[in-house]
Amino acid sequence: MTHVALTIAGSEASGGAGAQTDLKTFHQLDTFGTAALTCIVAFDPKNDWGHRFVPVDPQVIKDQIEATCAVHDIDTVKIGMLGTPVTIDAVAESLTEQAFTHVVLDPVLICKGQEPGAALDTDNALKDQILPLATFVTPNHFEALSLSGMDAIESVEDLTEAAKRIHDTYDVVVLAKGGVVLDGPDAVDVFYDGEQVVELRTPKIGEERVSGAGCTLAAAVTAELAKGATPLQAAQVAKDVVTSSIEHRQSGHTPFDAVYQRAYQA
C-alpha cells in the first residue's frame, strides 16, 4: 500500500508553488498525494507579476478535507497558504476533528510589520490557531524573525537561536531556513527538535530565491513523515529534494524561476 499525504494549500496556476508543487513533491517521493484547496492564486502579468488572491469558501475547504480523509487513511498533513482568518478557522476545526499524527506547517506570514488590518489579523490567527496544532514547522528567514520575536537573524548562530525560541514557544520540531539570505557560500537550514541542533548545508545555487522552494521543502518533509521517517531523516531528505529542485528549476517569462522536482532520486 502506498502511503498517503494531504496538502491543505492554495492553487498556484503556473505550477511553480502551492498545491501543484506539493503534489509533484509527494509523487517524486513515492507518496500518494491528495489536496484540499484553500484559495486560488494567479500571477498578474499586467501588474509586475503580483498575486491575485481568491479564497475558497470555508465550508468547501472543510468538505474537501472530510472527503479526502474518508477515502484514505491519512495521518500526515501539510499546511500551506491559508490567507484569511475565516479560512484559518475552518482549517483549525478540521485539524482538530481529524487528529492527524503529523501536521507540517509552512507558516506563510503576509504581514511585513505591525500595522493593523487584514494581514496582521490573518497572521495572528495563524499563530493562535494553527501553530498550536502543528508538530513540525518550516519558517523562512522572515517567518523565523516573526515567530521567534528576534530583531535580526544575520548568522547561523542567530538562526539556531530563532529555531530554539520557536520550539520552546510552540512545542514543535523546527527546520528554520537560511536560504540565500545569510552571508556565506552555503544555503544553511537549522533543524532543532528540543534535543539536537543539526545544520543542513549545501552550496548556494545563485543568490536569488526560486519560487516554490519553501513549498517543496515542507512537502518533502510531509511525504517522508508519512512513510515513517523520523523528523531529522525527513528534514535531511527534504534538503536534498529542494536542492535538486532548485538545480533543475524551470524558467518562464517571470523575473524568477520555479522549482522542478523531476530529477531527484532517493
Side-chain angles (χ1 to χ4, degrees):
M1 176 69 78
T2 302
H3 296 282
V4 182
L6 167 64
T7 177
I8 302 173
S11 167
E12 196 280 275
S14 74
Q20 286 87 338
T21 285
D22 294 342
L23 292 173
K24 293 174 194 175
T25 305
F26 291 167
H27 179 80
Q28 196 70 20
L29 292 171
D30 297 321
T31 302
F32 188 91
T34 65
L37 298 183
T38 58
C39 57
I40 309 298
V41 177
F43 291 128
D44 186 351
K46 298 176 182 177
N47 186 27
D48 196 28
W49 304 100
H51 291 80
R52 295 176 288 195
F53 172 85
V54 178
V56 172
D57 180 87
Q59 187 58 52
V60 174
I61 297 171
K62 293 172 66 176
D63 290 347
Q64 293 176 86
I65 297 169
E66 179 189 39
T68 301
C69 292
V71 172
H72 303 286
D73 294 324
I74 301 176
D75 70 355
T76 307
V77 59
K78 181 224 165 184
I79 311 296
M81 180 69 174
L82 300 180
T84 71
V86 293
T87 297
I88 289 168
D89 289 343
V91 171
E93 184 175 337
S94 292
L95 292 178
T96 302
E97 291 173 351
Q98 298 298 333
F100 297 103
T101 302
H102 305 290
V103 178
V104 180
L105 175 62
D106 183 3
V108 182
L109 300 180
I110 56 179
C111 184
K112 302 303 181 183
Q114 291 300 312
E115 68 279 3
L120 183 59
D121 291 344
T122 299
D123 287 359
N124 286 339
L126 185 76
K127 294 173 184 177
D128 292 342
Q129 296 176 249
I130 304 298
L131 260 166
L133 301 175
T135 60
F136 197 124
V137 64
T138 61
N140 63 22
H141 182 270
F142 166 71
E143 293 154 355
L145 275 172
S146 178
L147 297 180
S148 68
M150 294 173 63
D151 294 327
I153 297 175
E154 298 177 347
S155 66
V156 175
E157 291 75 20
D158 291 342
L159 192 63
T160 300
E161 177 62 24
K164 290 180 176 179
R165 291 191 188 191
I166 294 168
H167 171 273
D168 292 346
T169 301
Y170 297 105
D171 190 26
V172 289
V173 176
V174 181
L175 182 58
K177 300 173 288 188
V180 298
V181 178
L182 301 182
D183 289 337
D186 292 340
V188 184
D189 302 330
V190 173
F191 173 91
Y192 182 65
D193 62 0
E195 296 181 0
Q196 57 185 333
V197 174
V198 180
E199 295 178 13
L200 305 179
R201 292 177 173 267
T202 57
K204 288 180 180 176
I205 306 167
E207 294 289 341
E208 301 297 326
R209 291 185 175 95
V210 176
S211 179
C215 302
T216 300
L217 187 81
V221 167
T222 304
E224 290 300 298
L225 290 174
K227 295 188 297 185
T230 68
L232 178 56
Q233 290 170 337
Q236 291 168 327
V237 170
K239 181 68 169 177
D240 291 341
V241 172
V242 76
T243 300
S244 174
S245 300
I246 292 171
E247 288 175 337
H248 298 91
R249 56 193 167 200
Q250 177 79 0
S251 298
H253 298 296
T254 55
F256 48 85
D257 296 334
V259 289
Y260 190 18
Q261 296 80 8
R262 67 180 173 84
Y264 176 77
Q265 297 293 326

